[in-house]
Amino acid sequence: MIELQYFDRSDFQQLISWIDSPQFLLQWSGSVFDYPLTEEQLEKYIKNANKEESDTLVYKVIDQETGDVIGHISLGKIDRKNNSARIGKVLVGNQDVRGKGIGQQMIKAILKIAFDQLHLHRVSLGVFDFNTSAIACYEKAGFIKDGLHRDSSKNGDEYWSLWEMSMLEDEWLA
């Protein structure tokens, strides 16, 4: 089992150590950060996060058995007028726990916050089309593919396409 706790400065080095290439950084964060990931970039990322009316909530993922930080996830672009938000920066950072359903637990935990605490109507996310394990995780959680953004991100000399996915509150309640 996992628990989400607010991500803070004491977690910076752990996260930085997980991001080991420009490609992995792009896959994890889109074009939000530049490689190599730095504490300065993370300072900006959390500057206005995790407050009462913040439009971004940033979490570390704790393994409840060991107390170790094993991942990262955020709920951003929180729009209280339209009752929507976007899941981002999903990472099971500890390679020893990958493939054990942690991603599914993380998604369920962030959706619980989005729908049960914030009372949102729609939650979306983007995932590169080659990330089949993440797509399977999101679909298992109940996300629906809305559409494919073809060649939406450039990585070196190649372009990556991105699936846009979403879930509505009635789908969550079902």
Side-chain angles (χ1 to χ4, degrees):
M1 294 294 292
I2 58 115
E3 176 187 347
L4 300 184
Q5 293 179 6
Y6 284 146
F7 177 81
D8 60 33
R9 286 173 188 81
S10 66
D11 303 305
F12 285 5
Q13 283 306 314
Q14 174 73 72
L15 180 58
I16 289 169
S17 74
W18 288 332
I19 309 298
D20 59 4
S21 71
Q23 294 78 15
F24 193 73
L25 181 66
L26 177 62
Q27 188 173 343
W28 173 66
S29 70
S31 57
V32 173
F33 299 114
D34 295 314
Y35 188 81
L37 186 59
T38 64
E39 290 195 13
E40 291 75 27
Q41 292 178 80
L42 293 174
E43 282 287 350
K44 287 181 193 165
Y45 172 48
I46 66 165
K47 184 178 180 193
N48 295 309
N50 302 341
K51 297 180 180 118
E52 183 74 27
E53 290 301 311
S54 293
D55 67 357
T56 304
L57 300 174
V58 182
Y59 297 96
K60 59 186 166 189
V61 181
I62 309 288
D63 180 326
Q64 287 183 312
E65 248 180 64
T66 64
D68 295 338
V69 177
I70 57 171
H72 183 93
I73 193 167
S74 71
L75 188 66
K77 298 187 180 176
I78 299 170
D79 179 341
R80 287 170 173 81
K81 181 179 177 194
N82 293 299
N83 293 324
S84 64
R86 189 164 180 83
I87 294 173
K89 298 170 193 65
V90 180
L91 174 63
V92 178
N94 182 330
Q95 296 191 16
D96 296 338
V97 298
R98 287 186 187 160
K100 297 183 178 178
I102 299 296
Q104 191 68 213
Q105 291 178 49
M106 290 166 56
I107 295 301
K108 286 200 166 107
I110 202 87
L111 288 172
K112 197 169 179 55
I113 292 165
F115 291 119
D116 297 349
Q117 291 177 24
L118 299 175
H119 307 290
L120 299 179
H121 174 72
R122 181 177 193 275
V123 175
S124 65
L125 59 81
V127 58
F128 289 112
D129 65 344
F130 58 82
N131 194 346
T132 54
S133 60
I135 292 167
C137 174
Y138 302 145
E139 288 179 330
K140 185 176 178 184
F143 278 85
I144 307 290
K145 286 179 178 169
D146 293 328
L148 184 67
H149 294 272
R150 299 178 306 140
D151 289 359
S152 61
S153 294
K154 190 168 189 211
N155 176 38
D157 292 334
E158 65 180 0
Y159 288 90
W160 292 355
S161 296
L162 182 90
W163 278 110
E164 188 64 30
M165 301 179 79
S166 68
M167 182 185 295
L168 302 177
E169 69 182 316
D170 61 334
E171 295 162 343
W172 167 253
L173 294 170

